Amino acid sequence: MAVSRFSRRVLVVIGLGVAVPALILAFLGAFLTLRIARAVQDESVKYNTYLSQQVSEAYEQEVMAHLRRAVIPAENAARNGATMAQVVEALGNEGGEFDGAHLVPVDELDGYSLLIVESQPLIYAAGTGARQGDYFTGILLRDPTGQVAGAGGWWINPRKFLTAHLEPVIQDRLPANPHLYGGFESTRRLAVQLFAPDNSEIGRVRTPGPARTARVEALQGPFEGYSVRVTATPNSPVVWAGRFVQIELAFIGLMGLVILVATVFGLRYTIRQLELAQLKAGFVSNITHELKTPIAIIRLAVESLEMRRFTTAEESQKFLDMIARETQRLSTLVEKILDFARLEAGQRVFRFESLDMVEVVRGAVESMRPRLDDQRFQVVVDLPDGLPPVQGDGTALTQCVLNLLDNAMKYSRDRKEIRVHADARDRYVYVSVSDCGIGITPGDQKRIFEKFVRLENGLVHDVKGAGLGLSLVSQIIRAHGGRIEVQSTPGEGSTFTLVLPAAGGMVSSAEDVSRKTAS
Ligand code: ADP
């Protein structure tokens, strides 16, 4: 019996009414957190890119600072017709750690370029000959007529210059810019990296944090090919914010999952409880009917005997047989209910002993024989010799086989054929009862082992039952360390198989087992 569609719908609506808003809130939280994190990250990247540009400019200013002091005297000397040596002297040693001042004919420079820094033309050019790899940095010198006479300046090794000036550039120039402190980060939390043209790192100030988005800024002029990157250090607020976002997102995700799982399980549990309540109600009405019928028959038979509504001894015997049969039916039913109650309460005690399942099955079939014959069932009993023993409770296992036989009879129609078969394979003993009855749809095959379940199809409707038999069998078999299986095709029949572990694990192979067939 299933929960009504309406109750199911109500439950789903209530469940979703809780879960959906909670999930929406969780996802909204995650979305907003991500948006804020993205905004902070973007802002930080913008600042860092800006800072990289500042570093790049600071390098150019560093070169110009050296030049500025020397340019005017050297240019003036050149314009006043001084000799080359005098011009070089005027350039002096303002280059500082640059190589000593030189005067180079312009055409000796390998494709010079002019870079305007602070409105001063700065010339730089690829080095030639011995200075391969270095750059010439300086000014164009013109003679009094205005003609370019040559270039005066210094040879400079960009790599050495950049690494040597990294610290001063960061320490002295960046803090001088007030913008740097208005942002999210202070310069104490910034890492600056210098990269060579082959992208290898050649210098750094502080260790960079995990900033995948930070842009690399290319340097200009004599430092072409080199680049700098400014990122936040691992302990900067931006990096911490990123970490918090990750933790928060993981937490929100986890909460969403918990809400979802709790809703699904809560709904399933409630639906299951409702189903059980309905099944129980059905069970009570079923069982009442099952008890009332034999009582009514017994009362009728007793009344008939009391009022002597019989003429011959056979007729009175018929009433006595009726009373005996119905009393038996009643006691079987009551026994079944008590058994079920004991099993449910975990109070049923099994007495395990070494059992031959062939004996158990044969005993069960024989005790059913009168009913089977009475209803004209054709029974094929296919039991092998040498089946390994199982550790089990004889009464309980007999009860299992009897239940399967009872069902096989109850759910058979015109083809009254039952086959009982036993077998041993892979350390297990298999006992199956097959019928050619109404069969069970695949969807119902799991449900039938649940307590109180009776399938609601027209074919079963007029068959008596309490919905306890298979649940009882399944619980008993599980208590024996085994399982029950069902194979069935609707309209063709069913096979229920008890699978029990063989005692001691020693099982003779299927080929060794000889069969005895009786019908
Ligand atoms: P019941 O007392 O109703 O027979 P069971 O627990 O023994 O209770 O069986 C549960 C349900 O499984 C039955 O109501 C019936 O619908 C189905 N069933 C059991 N055995 C068979 C069978 N051999 N063939 C078809 N249906 C079966």
Side-chain angles (χ1 to χ4, degrees), residues 336 403-404 407-408 410-411 435 438-440 448 453-455 460 464-471 494 496:
K336 207 178 206 175
N403 261 302
L404 295 186
N407 279 352
K410 283 198 303 192
Y411 301 108
D435 61 59
I438 58 173
I440 306 154
I448 53 172
V453 168
R454 304 206 70 220
L455 300 182
V460 180
K464 291 187 174 63
L468 293 182
L470 287 180
S471 158
S494 316
F496 284 87

Side-chain angles (χ1 to χ4, degrees), residues 55 58-59 62-63 66 95-98 156-173 193-195 202-205 219 223 226 228:
V55 174
Y59 270 122
E62 196 75 6
V63 177
H66 291 285
E97 68 266 41
F98 298 168
I156 157 174
N157 179 299
R159 189 184 177 115
K160 266 198 233 155
F161 183 86
L162 290 172
T163 46
H165 285 76
L166 181 61
E167 282 281 350
V169 159
I170 306 303
Q171 304 296 339
D172 306 338
R173 294 187 187 261
Q193 290 167 283
L194 251 180
F195 297 100
I202 54 170
R204 67 158 63 165
V205 175
L219 298 181
F223 310 117
Y226 291 82
V228 283

Side-chain angles (χ1 to χ4, degrees), residues 94-131:
E94 290 299 333
E97 68 266 41
F98 298 168
D99 201 354
H102 294 275
L103 201 62
V104 180
V106 171
D107 54 9
E108 276 187 21
L109 290 175
D110 190 2
Y112 71 87
S113 311
L114 275 178
L115 180 75
I116 310 294
V117 181
E118 292 179 356
S119 1
Q120 293 283 349
L122 169 68
I123 146 169
Y124 69 96
T128 52
R131 309 308 299 247

